[in-house]
PDB file of all heavy atoms in Angstrom:
ATOM      1  N   GLY A   1     -18.177  -2.230  -3.628  1.00 93.00           N
ATOM      2  CA  GLY A   1     -18.394  -1.910  -5.027  1.00 93.00           C
ATOM      3  C   GLY A   1     -17.756  -0.619  -5.484  1.00 93.00           C
ATOM      4  O   GLY A   1     -18.048  -0.147  -6.586  1.00 93.00           O
ATOM      5  N   ALA A   2     -16.854  -0.033  -4.692  1.00 91.00           N
ATOM      6  CA  ALA A   2     -16.191   1.211  -5.082  1.00 91.00           C
ATOM      7  C   ALA A   2     -14.723   0.947  -5.422  1.00 91.00           C
ATOM      8  O   ALA A   2     -14.264  -0.196  -5.437  1.00 91.00           O
ATOM      9  CB  ALA A   2     -16.325   2.246  -3.972  1.00 91.00           C
ATOM     10  N   ASN A   3     -13.988   2.013  -5.683  1.00 91.00           N
ATOM     11  CA  ASN A   3     -12.606   1.866  -6.156  1.00 91.00           C
ATOM     12  C   ASN A   3     -11.717   1.069  -5.218  1.00 91.00           C
ATOM     13  O   ASN A   3     -10.890   0.265  -5.653  1.00 91.00           O
ATOM     14  CB  ASN A   3     -11.988   3.249  -6.377  1.00 91.00           C
ATOM     15  CG  ASN A   3     -12.383   3.855  -7.705  1.00 91.00           C
ATOM     16  OD1 ASN A   3     -13.254   3.323  -8.401  1.00 91.00           O
ATOM     17  ND2 ASN A   3     -11.771   4.970  -8.067  1.00 91.00           N
ATOM     18  N   SER A   4     -11.863   1.306  -3.904  1.00 88.00           N
ATOM     19  CA  SER A   4     -10.976   0.622  -2.959  1.00 88.00           C
ATOM     20  C   SER A   4     -11.142  -0.886  -3.045  1.00 88.00           C
ATOM     21  O   SER A   4     -10.163  -1.636  -2.951  1.00 88.00           O
ATOM     22  CB  SER A   4     -11.236   1.114  -1.536  1.00 88.00           C
ATOM     23  OG  SER A   4     -12.610   0.965  -1.200  1.00 88.00           O
ATOM     24  N   ALA A   5     -12.363  -1.355  -3.254  1.00 93.00           N
ATOM     25  CA  ALA A   5     -12.599  -2.796  -3.377  1.00 93.00           C
ATOM     26  C   ALA A   5     -11.989  -3.328  -4.664  1.00 93.00           C
ATOM     27  O   ALA A   5     -11.365  -4.400  -4.682  1.00 93.00           O
ATOM     28  CB  ALA A   5     -14.098  -3.092  -3.332  1.00 93.00           C
ATOM     29  N   GLY A   6     -12.161  -2.601  -5.762  1.00 95.00           N
ATOM     30  CA  GLY A   6     -11.585  -3.030  -7.027  1.00 95.00           C
ATOM     31  C   GLY A   6     -10.073  -3.067  -6.989  1.00 95.00           C
ATOM     32  O   GLY A   6      -9.439  -4.016  -7.480  1.00 95.00           O
ATOM     33  N   GLN A   7      -9.464  -2.063  -6.386  1.00 93.00           N
ATOM     34  CA  GLN A   7      -8.007  -2.025  -6.261  1.00 93.00           C
ATOM     35  C   GLN A   7      -7.503  -3.183  -5.409  1.00 93.00           C
ATOM     36  O   GLN A   7      -6.490  -3.818  -5.731  1.00 93.00           O
ATOM     37  CB  GLN A   7      -7.581  -0.684  -5.663  1.00 93.00           C
ATOM     38  CG  GLN A   7      -7.783   0.490  -6.600  1.00 93.00           C
ATOM     39  CD  GLN A   7      -7.805   1.824  -5.878  1.00 93.00           C
ATOM     40  OE1 GLN A   7      -7.962   1.887  -4.643  1.00 93.00           O
ATOM     41  NE2 GLN A   7      -7.659   2.905  -6.617  1.00 93.00           N
ATOM     42  N   ALA A   8      -8.218  -3.473  -4.326  1.00 93.00           N
ATOM     43  CA  ALA A   8      -7.819  -4.577  -3.455  1.00 93.00           C
ATOM     44  C   ALA A   8      -7.915  -5.912  -4.181  1.00 93.00           C
ATOM     45  O   ALA A   8      -7.010  -6.756  -4.083  1.00 93.00           O
ATOM     46  CB  ALA A   8      -8.698  -4.594  -2.207  1.00 93.00           C
ATOM     47  N   ALA A   9      -8.994  -6.132  -4.924  1.00 96.00           N
ATOM     48  CA  ALA A   9      -9.168  -7.391  -5.645  1.00 96.00           C
ATOM     49  C   ALA A   9      -8.047  -7.601  -6.649  1.00 96.00           C
ATOM     50  O   ALA A   9      -7.480  -8.704  -6.758  1.00 96.00           O
ATOM     51  CB  ALA A   9     -10.525  -7.407  -6.339  1.00 96.00           C
ATOM     52  N   LEU A  10      -7.702  -6.570  -7.405  1.00 96.00           N
ATOM     53  CA  LEU A  10      -6.625  -6.683  -8.390  1.00 96.00           C
ATOM     54  C   LEU A  10      -5.271  -6.935  -7.724  1.00 96.00           C
ATOM     55  O   LEU A  10      -4.466  -7.731  -8.206  1.00 96.00           O
ATOM     56  CB  LEU A  10      -6.573  -5.410  -9.239  1.00 96.00           C
ATOM     57  CG  LEU A  10      -7.742  -5.216 -10.214  1.00 96.00           C
ATOM     58  CD1 LEU A  10      -7.751  -3.796 -10.756  1.00 96.00           C
ATOM     59  CD2 LEU A  10      -7.656  -6.231 -11.353  1.00 96.00           C
ATOM     60  N   TYR A  11      -5.019  -6.259  -6.625  1.00 94.00           N
ATOM     61  CA  TYR A  11      -3.751  -6.421  -5.912  1.00 94.00           C
ATOM     62  C   TYR A  11      -3.610  -7.838  -5.366  1.00 94.00           C
ATOM     63  O   TYR A  11      -2.561  -8.477  -5.526  1.00 94.00           O
ATOM     64  CB  TYR A  11      -3.677  -5.406  -4.775  1.00 94.00           C
ATOM     65  CG  TYR A  11      -2.493  -5.574  -3.854  1.00 94.00           C
ATOM     66  CD1 TYR A  11      -1.206  -5.247  -4.276  1.00 94.00           C
ATOM     67  CD2 TYR A  11      -2.651  -6.050  -2.555  1.00 94.00           C
ATOM     68  CE1 TYR A  11      -0.120  -5.399  -3.432  1.00 94.00           C
ATOM     69  CE2 TYR A  11      -1.578  -6.197  -1.703  1.00 94.00           C
ATOM     70  CZ  TYR A  11      -0.307  -5.866  -2.149  1.00 94.00           C
ATOM     71  OH  TYR A  11       0.771  -6.031  -1.309  1.00 94.00           O
ATOM     72  N   LEU A  12      -4.655  -8.340  -4.738  1.00 96.00           N
ATOM     73  CA  LEU A  12      -4.597  -9.687  -4.167  1.00 96.00           C
ATOM     74  C   LEU A  12      -4.458 -10.741  -5.258  1.00 96.00           C
ATOM     75  O   LEU A  12      -3.689 -11.700  -5.125  1.00 96.00           O
ATOM     76  CB  LEU A  12      -5.844  -9.929  -3.319  1.00 96.00           C
ATOM     77  CG  LEU A  12      -5.952  -9.078  -2.043  1.00 96.00           C
ATOM     78  CD1 LEU A  12      -7.383  -9.091  -1.511  1.00 96.00           C
ATOM     79  CD2 LEU A  12      -4.976  -9.571  -0.986  1.00 96.00           C
ATOM     80  N   ALA A  13      -5.188 -10.573  -6.356  1.00 96.00           N
ATOM     81  CA  ALA A  13      -5.100 -11.526  -7.456  1.00 96.00           C
ATOM     82  C   ALA A  13      -3.710 -11.522  -8.079  1.00 96.00           C
ATOM     83  O   ALA A  13      -3.154 -12.576  -8.416  1.00 96.00           O
ATOM     84  CB  ALA A  13      -6.160 -11.206  -8.506  1.00 96.00           C
ATOM     85  N   ALA A  14      -3.128 -10.340  -8.229  1.00 95.00           N
ATOM     86  CA  ALA A  14      -1.790 -10.231  -8.816  1.00 95.00           C
ATOM     87  C   ALA A  14      -0.734 -10.899  -7.957  1.00 95.00           C
ATOM     88  O   ALA A  14       0.349 -11.240  -8.452  1.00 95.00           O
ATOM     89  CB  ALA A  14      -1.442  -8.760  -9.030  1.00 95.00           C
ATOM     90  N   ASN A  15      -1.042 -11.102  -6.690  1.00 95.00           N
ATOM     91  CA  ASN A  15      -0.088 -11.741  -5.779  1.00 95.00           C
ATOM     92  C   ASN A  15      -0.489 -13.178  -5.442  1.00 95.00           C
ATOM     93  O   ASN A  15      -0.123 -13.701  -4.393  1.00 95.00           O
ATOM     94  CB  ASN A  15       0.052 -10.911  -4.502  1.00 95.00           C
ATOM     95  CG  ASN A  15       0.880  -9.657  -4.717  1.00 95.00           C
ATOM     96  OD1 ASN A  15       2.105  -9.700  -4.699  1.00 95.00           O
ATOM     97  ND2 ASN A  15       0.207  -8.531  -4.951  1.00 95.00           N
ATOM     98  N   GLY A  16      -1.243 -13.785  -6.327  1.00 95.00           N
ATOM     99  CA  GLY A  16      -1.487 -15.218  -6.234  1.00 95.00           C
ATOM    100  C   GLY A  16      -2.732 -15.660  -5.509  1.00 95.00           C
ATOM    101  O   GLY A  16      -2.917 -16.867  -5.291  1.00 95.00           O
ATOM    102  N   CYS A  17      -3.600 -14.739  -5.118  1.00 96.00           N
ATOM    103  CA  CYS A  17      -4.812 -15.119  -4.382  1.00 96.00           C
ATOM    104  C   CYS A  17      -6.014 -15.223  -5.323  1.00 96.00           C
ATOM    105  O   CYS A  17      -6.353 -14.240  -5.997  1.00 96.00           O
ATOM    106  CB  CYS A  17      -5.130 -14.087  -3.305  1.00 96.00           C
ATOM    107  SG  CYS A  17      -3.906 -13.944  -1.996  1.00 96.00           S
ATOM    108  N   PRO A  18      -6.686 -16.375  -5.390  1.00 97.00           N
ATOM    109  CA  PRO A  18      -7.973 -16.427  -6.077  1.00 97.00           C
ATOM    110  C   PRO A  18      -8.964 -15.542  -5.317  1.00 97.00           C
ATOM    111  O   PRO A  18      -9.067 -15.628  -4.091  1.00 97.00           O
ATOM    112  CB  PRO A  18      -8.370 -17.904  -5.992  1.00 97.00           C
ATOM    113  CG  PRO A  18      -7.098 -18.629  -5.672  1.00 97.00           C
ATOM    114  CD  PRO A  18      -6.272 -17.691  -4.867  1.00 97.00           C
ATOM    115  N   VAL A  19      -9.715 -14.696  -6.050  1.00 97.00           N
ATOM    116  CA  VAL A  19     -10.529 -13.674  -5.406  1.00 97.00           C
ATOM    117  C   VAL A  19     -12.002 -13.814  -5.791  1.00 97.00           C
ATOM    118  O   VAL A  19     -12.342 -13.957  -6.970  1.00 97.00           O
ATOM    119  CB  VAL A  19     -10.044 -12.258  -5.792  1.00 97.00           C
ATOM    120  CG1 VAL A  19     -10.939 -11.191  -5.158  1.00 97.00           C
ATOM    121  CG2 VAL A  19      -8.594 -12.043  -5.367  1.00 97.00           C
ATOM    122  N   HIS A  20     -12.875 -13.760  -4.772  1.00 97.00           N
ATOM    123  CA  HIS A  20     -14.306 -13.602  -4.967  1.00 97.00           C
ATOM    124  C   HIS A  20     -14.636 -12.161  -4.603  1.00 97.00           C
ATOM    125  O   HIS A  20     -14.465 -11.753  -3.447  1.00 97.00           O
ATOM    126  CB  HIS A  20     -15.103 -14.542  -4.065  1.00 97.00           C
ATOM    127  CG  HIS A  20     -14.952 -15.997  -4.411  1.00 97.00           C
ATOM    128  ND1 HIS A  20     -15.736 -16.624  -5.352  1.00 97.00           N
ATOM    129  CD2 HIS A  20     -14.085 -16.930  -3.937  1.00 97.00           C
ATOM    130  CE1 HIS A  20     -15.376 -17.894  -5.444  1.00 97.00           C
ATOM    131  NE2 HIS A  20     -14.373 -18.107  -4.599  1.00 97.00           N
ATOM    132  N   LEU A  21     -15.107 -11.376  -5.587  1.00 97.00           N
ATOM    133  CA  LEU A  21     -15.502  -9.992  -5.334  1.00 97.00           C
ATOM    134  C   LEU A  21     -17.020  -9.945  -5.207  1.00 97.00           C
ATOM    135  O   LEU A  21     -17.750 -10.236  -6.159  1.00 97.00           O
ATOM    136  CB  LEU A  21     -15.037  -9.081  -6.463  1.00 97.00           C
ATOM    137  CG  LEU A  21     -15.473  -7.613  -6.374  1.00 97.00           C
ATOM    138  CD1 LEU A  21     -14.972  -6.970  -5.080  1.00 97.00           C
ATOM    139  CD2 LEU A  21     -14.980  -6.838  -7.586  1.00 97.00           C
ATOM    140  N   VAL A  22     -17.510  -9.580  -4.023  1.00 97.00           N
ATOM    141  CA  VAL A  22     -18.938  -9.573  -3.732  1.00 97.00           C
ATOM    142  C   VAL A  22     -19.448  -8.133  -3.779  1.00 97.00           C
ATOM    143  O   VAL A  22     -19.006  -7.271  -3.007  1.00 97.00           O
ATOM    144  CB  VAL A  22     -19.229 -10.197  -2.353  1.00 97.00           C
ATOM    145  CG1 VAL A  22     -20.719 -10.164  -2.050  1.00 97.00           C
ATOM    146  CG2 VAL A  22     -18.700 -11.627  -2.302  1.00 97.00           C
ATOM    147  N   VAL A  23     -20.390  -7.890  -4.718  1.00 96.00           N
ATOM    148  CA  VAL A  23     -20.930  -6.548  -4.927  1.00 96.00           C
ATOM    149  C   VAL A  23     -22.441  -6.601  -4.742  1.00 96.00           C
ATOM    150  O   VAL A  23     -23.119  -7.431  -5.365  1.00 96.00           O
ATOM    151  CB  VAL A  23     -20.591  -6.037  -6.339  1.00 96.00           C
ATOM    152  CG1 VAL A  23     -21.095  -4.607  -6.511  1.00 96.00           C
ATOM    153  CG2 VAL A  23     -19.093  -6.109  -6.582  1.00 96.00           C
ATOM    154  N   ARG A  24     -22.967  -5.719  -3.916  1.00 93.00           N
ATOM    155  CA  ARG A  24     -24.398  -5.734  -3.638  1.00 93.00           C
ATOM    156  C   ARG A  24     -25.228  -5.274  -4.841  1.00 93.00           C
ATOM    157  O   ARG A  24     -26.318  -5.771  -5.085  1.00 93.00           O
ATOM    158  CB  ARG A  24     -24.696  -4.861  -2.421  1.00 93.00           C
ATOM    159  CG  ARG A  24     -26.126  -4.968  -1.922  1.00 93.00           C
ATOM    160  CD  ARG A  24     -26.266  -4.293  -0.579  1.00 93.00           C
ATOM    161  NE  ARG A  24     -25.785  -2.900  -0.606  1.00 93.00           N
ATOM    162  CZ  ARG A  24     -25.747  -2.111   0.452  1.00 93.00           C
ATOM    163  NH1 ARG A  24     -26.110  -2.586   1.621  1.00 93.00           N
ATOM    164  NH2 ARG A  24     -25.315  -0.868   0.346  1.00 93.00           N
ATOM    165  N   GLY A  25     -24.728  -4.321  -5.616  1.00 92.00           N
ATOM    166  CA  GLY A  25     -25.469  -3.788  -6.751  1.00 92.00           C
ATOM    167  C   GLY A  25     -25.294  -4.605  -8.012  1.00 92.00           C
ATOM    168  O   GLY A  25     -24.476  -5.541  -8.078  1.00 92.00           O
ATOM    169  N   SER A  26     -26.045  -4.217  -9.040  1.00 92.00           N
ATOM    170  CA  SER A  26     -25.978  -4.934 -10.317  1.00 92.00           C
ATOM    171  C   SER A  26     -24.985  -4.308 -11.281  1.00 92.00           C
ATOM    172  O   SER A  26     -24.455  -4.987 -12.164  1.00 92.00           O
ATOM    173  CB  SER A  26     -27.368  -4.963 -10.966  1.00 92.00           C
ATOM    174  OG  SER A  26     -27.845  -3.639 -11.179  1.00 92.00           O
ATOM    175  N   ASP A  27     -24.704  -3.011 -11.121  1.00 92.00           N
ATOM    176  CA  ASP A  27     -23.827  -2.294 -12.042  1.00 92.00           C
ATOM    177  C   ASP A  27     -22.501  -1.987 -11.343  1.00 92.00           C
ATOM    178  O   ASP A  27     -22.428  -1.110 -10.490  1.00 92.00           O
ATOM    179  CB  ASP A  27     -24.505  -1.002 -12.508  1.00 92.00           C
ATOM    180  CG  ASP A  27     -23.640  -0.211 -13.487  1.00 92.00           C
ATOM    181  OD1 ASP A  27     -22.593  -0.740 -13.909  1.00 92.00           O
ATOM    182  OD2 ASP A  27     -24.025   0.925 -13.804  1.00 92.00           O
ATOM    183  N   LEU A  28     -21.461  -2.705 -11.749  1.00 92.00           N
ATOM    184  CA  LEU A  28     -20.154  -2.515 -11.120  1.00 92.00           C
ATOM    185  C   LEU A  28     -19.610  -1.112 -11.380  1.00 92.00           C
ATOM    186  O   LEU A  28     -18.854  -0.561 -10.583  1.00 92.00           O
ATOM    187  CB  LEU A  28     -19.173  -3.570 -11.636  1.00 92.00           C
ATOM    188  CG  LEU A  28     -17.878  -3.787 -10.839  1.00 92.00           C
ATOM    189  CD1 LEU A  28     -18.186  -4.159  -9.399  1.00 92.00           C
ATOM    190  CD2 LEU A  28     -17.025  -4.861 -11.495  1.00 92.00           C
ATOM    191  N   GLY A  29     -19.999  -0.526 -12.507  1.00 91.00           N
ATOM    192  CA  GLY A  29     -19.495   0.793 -12.856  1.00 91.00           C
ATOM    193  C   GLY A  29     -20.223   1.943 -12.195  1.00 91.00           C
ATOM    194  O   GLY A  29     -19.871   3.108 -12.399  1.00 91.00           O
ATOM    195  N   ALA A  30     -21.219   1.657 -11.379  1.00 92.00           N
ATOM    196  CA  ALA A  30     -21.982   2.734 -10.740  1.00 92.00           C
ATOM    197  C   ALA A  30     -21.123   3.542  -9.782  1.00 92.00           C
ATOM    198  O   ALA A  30     -21.273   4.766  -9.691  1.00 92.00           O
ATOM    199  CB  ALA A  30     -23.192   2.148 -10.007  1.00 92.00           C
ATOM    200  N   ARG A  31     -20.220   2.892  -9.052  1.00 90.00           N
ATOM    201  CA  ARG A  31     -19.380   3.586  -8.063  1.00 90.00           C
ATOM    202  C   ARG A  31     -17.895   3.341  -8.268  1.00 90.00           C
ATOM    203  O   ARG A  31     -17.078   3.798  -7.486  1.00 90.00           O
ATOM    204  CB  ARG A  31     -19.778   3.137  -6.651  1.00 90.00           C
ATOM    205  CG  ARG A  31     -21.220   3.497  -6.287  1.00 90.00           C
ATOM    206  CD  ARG A  31     -21.642   2.857  -4.971  1.00 90.00           C
ATOM    207  NE  ARG A  31     -20.717   3.169  -3.896  1.00 90.00           N
ATOM    208  CZ  ARG A  31     -20.247   2.274  -3.030  1.00 90.00           C
ATOM    209  NH1 ARG A  31     -20.615   1.005  -3.126  1.00 90.00           N
ATOM    210  NH2 ARG A  31     -19.439   2.633  -2.066  1.00 90.00           N
ATOM    211  N   MET A  32     -17.537   2.597  -9.316  1.00 93.00           N
ATOM    212  CA  MET A  32     -16.142   2.233  -9.542  1.00 93.00           C
ATOM    213  C   MET A  32     -15.655   2.818 -10.866  1.00 93.00           C
ATOM    214  O   MET A  32     -16.406   2.848 -11.849  1.00 93.00           O
ATOM    215  CB  MET A  32     -15.999   0.701  -9.553  1.00 93.00           C
ATOM    216  CG  MET A  32     -14.559   0.204  -9.564  1.00 93.00           C
ATOM    217  SD  MET A  32     -14.470  -1.612  -9.591  1.00 93.00           S
ATOM    218  CE  MET A  32     -15.183  -2.041  -8.006  1.00 93.00           C
ATOM    219  N   SER A  33     -14.415   3.297 -10.895  1.00 91.00           N
ATOM    220  CA  SER A  33     -13.840   3.861 -12.112  1.00 91.00           C
ATOM    221  C   SER A  33     -13.810   2.822 -13.221  1.00 91.00           C
ATOM    222  O   SER A  33     -13.568   1.629 -12.969  1.00 91.00           O
ATOM    223  CB  SER A  33     -12.429   4.375 -11.841  1.00 91.00           C
ATOM    224  OG  SER A  33     -12.445   5.410 -10.879  1.00 91.00           O
ATOM    225  N   SER A  34     -14.019   3.265 -14.454  1.00 93.00           N
ATOM    226  CA  SER A  34     -14.142   2.337 -15.582  1.00 93.00           C
ATOM    227  C   SER A  34     -12.871   1.536 -15.820  1.00 93.00           C
ATOM    228  O   SER A  34     -12.929   0.368 -16.231  1.00 93.00           O
ATOM    229  CB  SER A  34     -14.528   3.098 -16.849  1.00 93.00           C
ATOM    230  OG  SER A  34     -13.546   4.078 -17.166  1.00 93.00           O
ATOM    231  N   TYR A  35     -11.689   2.132 -15.552  1.00 93.00           N
ATOM    232  CA  TYR A  35     -10.454   1.381 -15.792  1.00 93.00           C
ATOM    233  C   TYR A  35     -10.362   0.174 -14.855  1.00 93.00           C
ATOM    234  O   TYR A  35      -9.826  -0.876 -15.228  1.00 93.00           O
ATOM    235  CB  TYR A  35      -9.228   2.297 -15.661  1.00 93.00           C
ATOM    236  CG  TYR A  35      -8.774   2.586 -14.254  1.00 93.00           C
ATOM    237  CD1 TYR A  35      -7.803   1.790 -13.636  1.00 93.00           C
ATOM    238  CD2 TYR A  35      -9.286   3.659 -13.534  1.00 93.00           C
ATOM    239  CE1 TYR A  35      -7.367   2.066 -12.354  1.00 93.00           C
ATOM    240  CE2 TYR A  35      -8.863   3.936 -12.254  1.00 93.00           C
ATOM    241  CZ  TYR A  35      -7.894   3.144 -11.659  1.00 93.00           C
ATOM    242  OH  TYR A  35      -7.460   3.400 -10.383  1.00 93.00           O
ATOM    243  N   LEU A  36     -10.897   0.308 -13.656  1.00 94.00           N
ATOM    244  CA  LEU A  36     -10.897  -0.821 -12.726  1.00 94.00           C
ATOM    245  C   LEU A  36     -11.925  -1.871 -13.151  1.00 94.00           C
ATOM    246  O   LEU A  36     -11.643  -3.077 -13.084  1.00 94.00           O
ATOM    247  CB  LEU A  36     -11.213  -0.332 -11.307  1.00 94.00           C
ATOM    248  CG  LEU A  36     -10.119   0.475 -10.599  1.00 94.00           C
ATOM    249  CD1 LEU A  36     -10.642   1.046  -9.286  1.00 94.00           C
ATOM    250  CD2 LEU A  36      -8.892  -0.402 -10.344  1.00 94.00           C
ATOM    251  N   VAL A  37     -13.088  -1.429 -13.591  1.00 95.00           N
ATOM    252  CA  VAL A  37     -14.111  -2.372 -14.055  1.00 95.00           C
ATOM    253  C   VAL A  37     -13.568  -3.213 -15.203  1.00 95.00           C
ATOM    254  O   VAL A  37     -13.748  -4.439 -15.237  1.00 95.00           O
ATOM    255  CB  VAL A  37     -15.380  -1.606 -14.491  1.00 95.00           C
ATOM    256  CG1 VAL A  37     -16.402  -2.577 -15.095  1.00 95.00           C
ATOM    257  CG2 VAL A  37     -15.992  -0.863 -13.309  1.00 95.00           C
ATOM    258  N   ASP A  38     -12.874  -2.570 -16.142  1.00 95.00           N
ATOM    259  CA  ASP A  38     -12.312  -3.299 -17.285  1.00 95.00           C
ATOM    260  C   ASP A  38     -11.267  -4.311 -16.842  1.00 95.00           C
ATOM    261  O   ASP A  38     -11.238  -5.454 -17.332  1.00 95.00           O
ATOM    262  CB  ASP A  38     -11.692  -2.317 -18.278  1.00 95.00           C
ATOM    263  CG  ASP A  38     -12.736  -1.422 -18.939  1.00 95.00           C
ATOM    264  OD1 ASP A  38     -13.927  -1.793 -18.899  1.00 95.00           O
ATOM    265  OD2 ASP A  38     -12.347  -0.353 -19.467  1.00 95.00           O
ATOM    266  N   ARG A  39     -10.415  -3.939 -15.923  1.00 95.00           N
ATOM    267  CA  ARG A  39      -9.355  -4.854 -15.470  1.00 95.00           C
ATOM    268  C   ARG A  39      -9.946  -6.041 -14.703  1.00 95.00           C
ATOM    269  O   ARG A  39      -9.449  -7.156 -14.815  1.00 95.00           O
ATOM    270  CB  ARG A  39      -8.350  -4.101 -14.607  1.00 95.00           C
ATOM    271  CG  ARG A  39      -7.502  -3.131 -15.395  1.00 95.00           C
ATOM    272  CD  ARG A  39      -6.386  -2.568 -14.560  1.00 95.00           C
ATOM    273  NE  ARG A  39      -5.637  -1.568 -15.295  1.00 95.00           N
ATOM    274  CZ  ARG A  39      -4.582  -0.923 -14.806  1.00 95.00           C
ATOM    275  NH1 ARG A  39      -4.165  -1.194 -13.572  1.00 95.00           N
ATOM    276  NH2 ARG A  39      -3.948  -0.033 -15.535  1.00 95.00           N
ATOM    277  N   LEU A  40     -10.959  -5.783 -13.921  1.00 96.00           N
ATOM    278  CA  LEU A  40     -11.600  -6.886 -13.196  1.00 96.00           C
ATOM    279  C   LEU A  40     -12.215  -7.888 -14.157  1.00 96.00           C
ATOM    280  O   LEU A  40     -12.125  -9.115 -13.954  1.00 96.00           O
ATOM    281  CB  LEU A  40     -12.674  -6.332 -12.258  1.00 96.00           C
ATOM    282  CG  LEU A  40     -12.179  -5.532 -11.039  1.00 96.00           C
ATOM    283  CD1 LEU A  40     -13.340  -4.821 -10.368  1.00 96.00           C
ATOM    284  CD2 LEU A  40     -11.465  -6.439 -10.049  1.00 96.00           C
ATOM    285  N   ALA A  41     -12.829  -7.378 -15.224  1.00 94.00           N
ATOM    286  CA  ALA A  41     -13.458  -8.270 -16.201  1.00 94.00           C
ATOM    287  C   ALA A  41     -12.429  -9.108 -16.939  1.00 94.00           C
ATOM    288  O   ALA A  41     -12.716 -10.244 -17.363  1.00 94.00           O
ATOM    289  CB  ALA A  41     -14.277  -7.440 -17.188  1.00 94.00           C
TER     290      ALA A  41
END
């Protein structure tokens, strides 16, 4: 649920991989930068 996970999900998706991002918490923005949260959405 932190930046490294968000960056990885975006990178893999941009290269053709369907991605399931599994986050234990309810608030994605608690540990992740807002620009990454917006791009994931």
Side-chain angles (χ1 to χ4, degrees):
N3 279 9
S4 55
Q7 290 161 344
L10 290 167
Y11 173 72
L12 293 163
N15 285 278
C17 296
V19 178
H20 292 273
L21 176 59
V22 179
V23 183
R24 188 169 54 183
S26 59
D27 181 8
L28 196 57
R31 297 171 54 226
M32 189 180 295
S33 298
S34 60
Y35 80 92
L36 288 172
V37 175
D38 293 341
R39 290 189 184 181
L40 290 169

